[in-house]
Amino acid sequence: MSETSGPWGRIEAHAAQVRKRRIAGLFATPNRAREFSASFGDLLFDYSKTNIDTEGRWLLLELAERAGVAKWRDAMFSGRKINESEGRAVLHTALRNLDGGPVTVDGADVMPEVLDTLRRMEGFADDVRDGVFEGQGGPITDVVNIGIGGSDLGPAMAVQALAPYHDGPRVHFVSNVDGAHVTDVLRRLDPQTTLVIVASKTFTTVETMTNAATARAWMGEAVDEPGEQFAALSSAQDETARFGIDPSRVFGFADWVGGRYSMWGPIGLSLMIAIGPGAFRAFLRGGQAMDRHFRAAEFKDNLPVLLALVGIWHRQVLGCPTRAVIPYEQRLARLPAYLQQLEMESNGKRVRRDGHPVDRPTGPIVWGEPGTNGQHAFFQLLHQGTDVIPVEFLVGARGHEDDLAHQHRLLVANCLAQSEALMTGRSHKEAQSIAEAQGLTGEAAARAAAARTFPGNRPSTTLVYPLLTPEMLGQIIALYEHRVFVEGVILGINSFDQWGVELGKDLAKDLLPIVEGRQDAQPADGSTALLAAHIRRVR
Ligand code: F6P
């Protein structure tokens, strides 16, 4: 049962009073845009095109204060074991703590080992990039990162995002256990000049280990010692040794780095090889700068807190079940997928830390595609569909293609136009005039006007960054990480475990012998039995 008093009750009562008003009307207040936007350096977060007003923001800030966001934040940075269900600290921030101030877990400073691993990664990345580390056929031309979930999405997203900074070997990603994925990637490569990186925190994930075995067999056909062209990124050094990877090419990390928060450390090796250690450090510096902002800024000016509060307003207070993330930056095409794991694996929970059910909706469904492509696909529904879907736009003030600056201006104009159109819509009266101007009358004009009316009043936020550099990407990713954390604290859930992925994994193990036809035992339910039998018969 929802509380009717207290901070939740107050924000819900406020929402009930204001939910029907027009967002556009809020701009009658002078300085609305300036007052409902916040910046960190040249990063600007505009949330003025939402229905949050001064009182709403105050009540949302109260929610954050009362949930103990500051206390939990400090506990996280100090190395306390806030991931209680797994008995672990949460310290991905230590991976970007480049100044190396001490960070302690169980009384021991973890920074010497973090920095030592970073230097080892840099040494290896330089060797690969400079041709000091070679394959049997000469310098490495291609790197294949085999991993899944947090061991794939972060580096895959960032390698694509930072394409203008690539000056190393080509980097490819294999994640799906579908043999088509590994086949399509390896088919184009020369095994004698390829380095395979097996990225798996546990080194037991079935998809990754299956693809790693396939890649080793592929390499074994052309290379005398295939294991010598393998590296591993893992916390399970016994497993990497069993796989046959020399410890000099194994880069480990501690259990306090969660999978979906791991791209800042060894899991980022493929990115480091692509852009070089210097640019990778810039990426870390960006993340570290956002950490400092998150720790120091007052909540009313604190970007991660504000993003979280806007998220809470739309999902928990107004009840919008989904959130669209639309980067107007083609190179951020994988950002929505990355954020899906970050947000939905972190906050897609139904019980609180204390084991009791959460009494309101938790994480939203996160989805999206880059603009302008999305405009020609699903924006119809955003503008005129029956659901209100808050949209989070991201756009760079400039692109890397100076010779195509006119295209970038077109991109930016589209981004701004969409957020404006979502908010203002088009009235029936205006639509009627358009229809009449086209010569329509009577019934025909009325029908045309109805179809051309946009309800508007659909909220959006816009994050503007100057240029997508490694440092800026680091800031943006750390911003989203902390946003997810703040939302989790406000909901009272543990954002750092992921028990919800276990059941399907267990059942897949049981079903494999049945799908393979090795075992006659029937699946527990009739539908699964029918599907398995049909697949066996028609394949
Ligand atoms: O999907 C569950 C999960 O545990 C993710 O949290 C993680 O990122 C992914 O699997 C991969 O795990 P690993 O790095 O251990 O292979």
Side-chain angles (χ1 to χ4, degrees):
M1 212 176 59
S2 298
E3 301 154 66
T4 50
S5 60
W8 281 109
R10 283 192 282 281
I11 187 70
E12 278 159 5
H14 169 76
Q17 275 179 3
V18 303
R19 69 185 307 151
K20 292 233 165 72
R21 77 179 163 198
R22 303 287 298 177
I23 298 170
L26 295 172
F27 285 85
T29 314
N31 294 330
R32 161 85 191 166
R34 203 173 291 278
E35 278 181 24
F36 289 81
S37 56
S39 50
F40 168 61
D42 288 333
L43 194 58
L44 174 79
F45 175 58
D46 173 27
Y47 60 103
S48 61
K49 291 193 189 92
T50 68
N51 200 350
I52 298 173
D53 60 12
T54 307
E55 186 185 350
R57 180 172 56 196
W58 191 90
L59 292 168
L60 288 164
L61 287 166
E62 184 199 23
L63 206 55
E65 303 282 357
R66 294 278 285 270
V69 168
K71 184 191 82 184
W72 284 101
R73 175 197 61 195
D74 296 346
M76 175 172 79
F77 279 96
S78 74
R80 239 191 64 198
K81 297 194 175 169
I82 62 165
N83 176 0
E84 287 153 349
S85 72
E86 296 181 314
R88 293 175 182 167
V90 175
L91 275 179
H92 46 280
T93 51
L95 300 174
R96 52 200 189 218
N97 175 27
L98 282 179
D99 302 347
V103 177
T104 47
V105 178
D106 291 329
D109 182 9
V110 301
M111 286 316 300
E113 195 170 341
V114 166
L115 295 176
D116 181 56
T117 304
L118 177 61
R119 281 189 286 268
R120 283 185 57 232
M121 284 169 66
E122 290 175 334
F124 183 65
D126 275 336
D127 285 353
V128 171
R129 289 162 53 85
D130 297 345
V132 175
F133 175 89
E134 291 194 333
Q136 187 171 306
I140 296 296
T141 55
D142 294 89
V143 174
V144 181
N145 183 90
I146 298 181
I148 197 163
S151 299
D152 165 73
L153 287 163
M157 175 274 295
V159 163
Q160 187 176 0
L162 298 177
Y165 300 87
H166 288 199
D167 54 3
R170 290 176 292 264
V171 176
H172 315 265
F173 291 87
V174 172
S175 53
N176 200 324
V177 76
D178 183 346
H181 200 177
V182 66
T183 301
D184 288 351
V185 170
L186 297 184
R187 188 174 31 219
R188 292 176 277 140
L189 309 183
D190 176 357
Q192 298 207 338
T193 58
T194 295
L195 168 70
V196 175
I197 298 177
V198 186
S200 175
K201 182 175 168 183
T202 55
F203 230 69
T204 54
T205 303
V206 70
E207 291 93 332
T208 300
M209 299 325 295
T210 307
N211 279 323
T214 301
R216 190 169 52 185
W218 166 80
M219 198 173 274
E221 283 178 14
V223 169
D224 300 333
E225 297 286 347
E228 289 183 8
Q229 285 176 227
F230 271 67
L233 318 174
S234 181
S235 330
Q237 316 256 326
D238 45 343
E239 297 287 344
T240 58
R242 199 166 307 145
F243 191 86
I245 301 179
D246 191 88
S248 63
R249 292 189 306 283
V250 176
F251 301 91
F253 50 103
D255 69 358
W256 40 256
V257 181
R260 53 194 174 276
Y261 299 88
S262 62
M263 64 184 299
W264 310 95
I267 295 295
L269 182 63
S270 54
L271 174 64
M272 185 190 273
I273 292 175
I275 64 176
F280 189 82
R281 275 196 183 236
F283 170 69
L284 297 184
R285 266 200 309 280
Q288 187 185 24
M290 186 53 70
D291 293 342
R292 289 190 170 137
H293 167 72
F294 178 44
R295 296 180 80 173
E298 272 188 66
F299 281 6
K300 67 176 182 42
D301 305 315
N302 194 308
L303 260 55
V305 173
L306 291 171
L307 248 80
L309 294 179
V310 173
I312 294 276
W313 170 255
H314 287 139
R315 174 66 181 121
Q316 280 75 30
V317 181
L318 298 183
C320 306
T322 90
R323 170 195 296 166
V325 179
I326 314 292
Y328 274 71
E329 174 92 47
Q330 182 58 30
R331 293 190 178 110
L332 284 178
R334 294 294 283 159
L335 182 72
Y338 169 80
L339 291 179
Q340 274 173 341
Q341 187 198 19
L342 183 67
E343 304 219 12
M344 293 163 77
E345 201 165 83
S346 297
N347 288 344
K349 310 279 165 71
R350 50 179 292 285
V351 293
R352 297 190 315 222
R353 292 174 179 279
D354 60 11
H356 289 101
V358 191
D359 56 4
R360 50 182 44 83
T362 58
I365 296 159
V366 177
W367 60 284
E369 273 288 315
T372 58
N373 292 7
Q375 290 175 210
H376 298 272
F378 52 80
F379 270 54
Q380 163 64 39
L381 185 148
L382 298 184
H383 286 289
Q384 288 189 315
T386 48
D387 286 301
V388 173
I389 297 169
V391 182
E392 299 190 351
F393 294 101
L394 294 97
V395 68
R398 75 184 173 91
H400 287 86
E401 289 64 38
D402 288 337
D403 53 330
L404 298 176
H406 64 291
Q407 290 199 210
H408 192 265
R409 287 193 286 270
L410 197 53
L411 181 78
V412 173
N414 269 277
C415 177
L416 301 184
Q418 290 301 325
S419 71
E420 191 183 340
L422 284 166
M423 176 173 75
T424 54
R426 178 192 284 149
S427 68
H428 186 266
K429 201 165 146 218
E430 218 180 314
Q432 180 87 24
S433 313
I434 294 172
E436 286 166 6
Q438 287 168 348
L440 297 174
T441 54
E443 266 290 290
R447 264 201 309 274
R452 287 161 178 74
T453 299
F454 288 61
N457 215 23
R458 304 204 162 188
S460 69
T461 61
T462 306
L463 185 71
V464 184
Y465 47 88
L467 178 73
L468 194 61
T469 60
E471 186 156 3
M472 191 47 64
L473 183 69
Q475 286 190 21
I476 293 171
I477 299 306
L479 167 62
Y480 276 98
E481 285 180 348
H482 294 321
R483 180 258 189 104
V484 169
F485 168 73
V486 173
E487 287 183 342
V489 171
I490 292 174
L491 295 169
I493 59 185
N494 177 0
S495 300
F496 300 104
D497 59 12
Q498 55 284 316
W499 300 106
V501 297
E502 298 301 324
L503 177 61
K505 282 190 201 170
D506 289 347
L507 292 182
K509 272 186 221 136
D510 297 345
L511 279 165
L512 183 60
I514 297 170
V515 173
E516 283 176 337
R518 283 190 284 118
Q519 197 177 299
D520 280 338
Q522 285 298 306
D525 71 273
S527 162
T528 309
L530 175 103
L531 294 168
H534 184 76
I535 289 163
R536 281 163 60 171
R537 191 165 57 76
V538 302
R539 76 177 159 211

